[in-house]
Amino acid sequence: MAVTNILTMDNLSCEQILGLIQRAIALKHGAQPHYRPDLYVSNLFFENSTRTKCSFEVAQRKLKLNVVGFETSTSSVQKGESLYDTCKTLESLGVNLLVIRHPEDSYYQQLHGEHLEHHLNIPVLNGGDGSGEHPSQCLLDLMTIYEEFGKFEGLQVAICGDIKNSRVARSNYRALTRLGAKVVFVCPEIYRDDTLGEVVDFDEVIGELDVCMLLRIQHERHHADLKQAQTFTKAEYNQAYGLNPARYARLAEHAIIMHPAPVNRDVEISSELVEAPKSRIFAQMHNGMFMRIAMLEYVIAHNQL
Ligand code: CP
């Protein structure tokens, strides 16, 4: 049987996305998780994380899954063990499901697939691959938007920041567009990605937005040429491309602001707006735990674990 993973938003149909949102909302309102104390999971984070790793771990404990601790810094990765061998080892030990974050785009292509002579037989939930995709973040963002508006069709969404290096921008653009929202980007030239949608002037669109999504600058993904091209001070960036009090005042009454976090305060968003009335930043994190329960249940059910 082929393994069902959640690696990119393209792994999920619109119906499946809406099903996950409905399930996460039901869990938030008190539905019982489908407990599986017989299953083992492990979270392999080859990049730093607070929200995704802790949120998956809380979700796993709420499902009564057995969480097998794994830290790259104390693992045999430090002795040169490959990603595939690390995953295959955990599969051999009886781990049923992996959550993986890795700095390499599409790292998962080396784990599964009929084209591979050797492959994993356990499912993977992608916790973020390089500048590729971040499906669990996207799904919790979609849940937060759906809770607010009850629909996606016709919504005006701006994603603002380092689009070129953002896996959140990529996942959200693809999913929101499929679901019928109109997505535009706000960014300096050096951070634009012409494979995605239209780049617009923040001040021209701000009053028309339903959702204003801010992203931090992904300094850790910038090569030397991009670092040299960065001529903005924090204040200059905030003035030109950030959400500051002047722009906040021009948002529509019903508009919300979102950010996957971590936030770099006073750069992409002024510090006093992080918990402003229109901000859903901490609500997104709260929703993330319920969405990750729903994702784990989905993968467990589809793989008949
Ligand atoms: N939003 C997000 O992925 O945060 P972490 O890097 O802390 O997991």
Side-chain angles (χ1 to χ4, degrees), residues 13-299:
S13 67
C14 289
E15 291 68 31
Q16 287 169 328
I17 292 171
L18 292 170
L20 283 164
I21 292 170
Q22 299 290 5
R23 178 62 182 154
I25 291 172
L27 288 159
K28 187 174 174 180
H29 291 98
Q32 286 279 332
H34 298 146
Y35 302 128
R36 290 300 303 269
D38 54 323
L39 296 181
Y40 289 78
V41 299
S42 195
N43 303 309
L44 280 53
F45 277 64
F46 294 83
E47 265 188 2
N48 295 343
S49 170
T50 298
R51 274 146 293 274
T52 312
K53 189 173 185 206
C54 296
S55 175
F56 263 118
E57 205 164 313
V58 173
Q60 290 157 358
R61 291 182 193 282
K62 285 193 181 276
L63 281 164
K64 302 191 193 297
L65 299 167
N66 298 284
V67 183
V68 178
F70 180 90
E71 297 296 336
T72 51
S73 60
T74 53
S75 75
S76 287
V77 169
Q78 300 302 330
K79 302 174 197 165
E81 191 161 44
S82 71
L83 173 63
Y84 173 78
D85 288 344
T86 301
C87 296
K88 197 70 184 172
T89 299
L90 290 163
E91 177 187 313
S92 307
L93 297 178
V95 171
N96 305 98
L97 162 62
L98 298 172
V99 177
I100 304 178
R101 170 174 287 189
H102 199 280
E104 187 182 325
D105 287 15
S106 307
Y107 68 81
Y108 44 79
Q109 287 176 353
Q110 61 196 282
L111 303 179
H112 291 111
E114 286 167 12
H115 60 290
L116 297 174
E117 189 184 349
H118 301 289
H119 54 83
L120 278 190
N121 294 305
I122 55 172
V124 171
L125 283 168
N126 181 12
D129 62 295
S131 300
E133 288 219 27
H134 195 345
S136 67
Q137 179 68 46
C138 178
L139 286 163
L140 75 88
D141 290 344
L142 296 177
M143 174 185 175
T144 307
I145 294 169
Y146 189 82
E147 275 188 325
E148 198 74 33
F149 299 102
K151 61 170 190 174
F152 297 101
E153 190 72 40
L155 293 181
Q156 304 281 327
V157 181
I159 305 180
C160 316
D162 182 0
I163 308 305
K164 189 186 182 78
N165 296 289
S166 173
R167 52 195 175 209
V168 177
R170 211 148 278 117
S171 286
N172 270 316
Y173 173 71
R174 289 182 179 145
L176 280 164
T177 304
R178 266 203 290 149
L179 290 162
K182 165 107 165 69
V183 181
V184 293
F185 296 101
V186 171
C187 62
E189 274 301 304
I190 49 171
Y191 300 151
R192 76 185 280 158
D193 181 343
D194 287 324
T195 65
L196 301 180
E198 186 189 359
V199 175
V200 298
D201 184 317
F202 209 175
D203 292 315
E204 280 181 18
V205 298
I206 188 95
E208 297 158 20
L209 299 177
D210 300 298
V211 178
C212 178
M213 186 181 293
L214 292 314
L215 303 174
R216 77 180 169 88
I217 301 171
Q218 308 259 314
H219 293 288
E220 72 274 26
R221 301 194 200 289
H222 293 178
H223 300 301
D225 53 343
L226 200 51
K227 281 189 202 296
Q228 281 166 8
Q230 287 169 6
T231 53
F232 299 105
T233 64
K234 289 179 181 182
E236 284 167 351
Y237 185 90
N238 182 266
Q239 181 66 27
Y241 302 102
L243 187 70
N244 49 38
R247 290 198 177 101
Y248 185 87
R250 294 187 52 215
L251 284 165
E253 185 71 26
H254 68 272
I256 60 169
I257 58 181
M258 299 176 68
H259 192 312
V263 170
N264 286 153
R265 287 174 181 256
D266 294 322
V267 184
E268 69 274 10
I269 179 169
S270 298
S271 187
E272 65 264 44
L273 300 179
V274 171
E275 295 188 69
K278 293 184 192 304
S279 170
R280 298 295 179 270
I281 296 174
F282 288 97
Q284 287 171 261
M285 296 178 208
H286 185 62
N287 284 346
M289 191 275 295
F290 298 105
M291 179 50 78
R292 288 176 175 116
I293 296 178
M295 293 174 74
L296 288 158
E297 287 181 342
Y298 172 95
V299 169

